[in-house]
Amino acid sequence: MMTYLSIEPALRKAGFIVSHAPNTVAAIKQITAEPPDFLLLDSRLQEMGGMHLCNYIRVELHLPETRIILLSDNPDPAEKIRALNMGAHDYMLHPVDIDELLHKIAALQHRRRVDRLQHILRVGNIELVPEQHGVYVDGVEVHLTETEYRLLQELMEVEGRVLTREVLLERIWGHHRASNLESRALDVHMSRLRQKLGASGDAIITVRKVGYRINVAPGWRNH
């Protein structure tokens, strides 16, 4: 586990092996060399900042097994949603309550085990459970059409990589070549999907003249 000095003693007492990094450059080196089970990222980290480091870990380093808790001074609920969309699994405010932190870590450990058994896909606070054919945002079920569900599943399964318009049309509708009409239909379905996901719909990114991707990749297909 990686954290910063003020929390280390309590985590070591709880039985965790702990290391820390003073800034994002050092953190990236440590994470790349030995991916941790858990990361505590402070939003005040020097250089990149904890929020952007979280996104970098998900998009560039591709570490789906690493669980991230972002620590922040900002109590705005919109900031928590932003953190989840950037790839954090949870969000805590300073000053950190150690008992609460340990509880959150235990909950994430349990959720990871369940994910492996149920093949749950997660992006921020969006969950897709193929065995139930269900989609949930913050634990509340979101009712999607079959097309919307399949679009979301395709985006989540490729771990943040871009899917071109042609690929999406082929996979969802079976078209080998996309006409302008079909391409516009894709945009309409994607727009409706974003709306149904609420604020979490911002995780679906339009790549101009190319296609679409999911912004983060926390907890992809677990086997």
Side-chain angles (χ1 to χ4, degrees), residues 2 23-36 39 41 48 50 52-66 68 86-87 158-161 213 215-220:
M2 297 184 66
N23 53 56
T24 54
V25 173
I28 289 171
K29 288 182 179 179
Q30 290 190 35
I31 294 166
T32 303
E34 187 174 355
L39 276 169
L41 297 182
M48 191 184 298
H52 292 290
L53 175 58
C54 181
N55 190 54
Y56 179 86
I57 291 167
R58 293 307 180 200
V59 175
E60 301 296 333
L61 300 185
H62 300 297
L63 300 176
E65 291 298 308
T66 297
I68 298 176
M86 284 284 198
V158 296
E159 305 187 6
R161 297 189 298 275
R213 67 177 178 86
N215 193 35
V216 293
W220 299 110

Side-chain angles (χ1 to χ4, degrees), residues 180-199:
N180 288 335
L181 179 61
E182 292 160 348
S183 189
R184 286 197 295 272
L186 171 61
D187 294 335
V188 170
H189 283 288
M190 202 66 78
S191 176
R192 290 173 180 168
L193 172 59
R194 283 187 176 120
Q195 290 175 6
K196 290 184 179 181
L197 294 174

Side-chain angles (χ1 to χ4, degrees), residues 22-201:
N23 53 56
T24 54
V25 173
I28 289 171
K29 288 182 179 179
Q30 290 190 35
I31 294 166
T32 303
E34 187 174 355
D37 293 328
F38 285 89
L39 276 169
L40 302 184
L41 297 182
D42 195 322
S43 62
R44 302 170 298 187
L45 272 171
Q46 297 178 22
E47 284 92 25
M48 191 184 298
M51 188 81 74
H52 292 290
L53 175 58
C54 181
N55 190 54
Y56 179 86
I57 291 167
R58 293 307 180 200
V59 175
E60 301 296 333
L61 300 185
H62 300 297
L63 300 176
E65 291 298 308
T66 297
R67 292 324 194 223
I68 298 176
I69 298 176
L70 189 74
L71 310 179
S72 176
D73 294 316
N74 192 338
D76 187 348
E79 191 70 1
K80 178 178 180 179
I81 292 173
R82 180 169 173 251
L84 294 173
N85 285 336
M86 284 284 198
H89 293 84
D90 214 326
Y91 185 89
M92 292 186 68
L93 295 175
H94 291 297
V96 174
D97 181 280
I98 294 298
D99 289 336
E100 181 184 3
L101 174 61
L102 293 175
H103 175 77
K104 286 180 179 291
I105 291 173
L108 287 172
Q109 286 176 318
H110 173 73
R111 194 168 80 181
R112 182 166 59 177
R113 288 192 292 268
V114 171
D115 287 358
R116 287 172 174 169
L117 293 174
Q118 297 185 353
H119 307 293
I120 294 174
L121 302 176
R122 274 198 178 89
V123 170
N125 55 349
I126 304 171
E127 296 181 350
L128 187 147
V129 188
E131 292 182 2
Q132 299 177 8
H133 205 72
V135 174
Y136 304 84
V137 175
D138 284 329
V140 178
E141 187 170 9
V142 177
H143 298 285
L144 303 180
T145 66
E146 177 64 19
T147 298
E148 292 161 354
Y149 175 89
R150 291 182 62 196
L151 283 170
L152 181 61
Q153 185 175 26
E154 291 289 344
L155 291 173
M156 293 177 77
E157 285 185 338
V158 296
E159 305 187 6
R161 297 189 298 275
V162 176
L163 287 178
T164 67
R165 306 175 76 84
E166 290 77 14
V167 166
L168 285 169
L169 287 166
E170 169 64 25
R171 292 184 180 180
I172 306 301
W173 288 280
H175 297 301
H176 293 284
R177 298 182 65 84
S179 69
N180 288 335
L181 179 61
E182 292 160 348
S183 189
R184 286 197 295 272
L186 171 61
D187 294 335
V188 170
H189 283 288
M190 202 66 78
S191 176
R192 290 173 180 168
L193 172 59
R194 283 187 176 120
Q195 290 175 6
K196 290 184 179 181
L197 294 174
S200 297

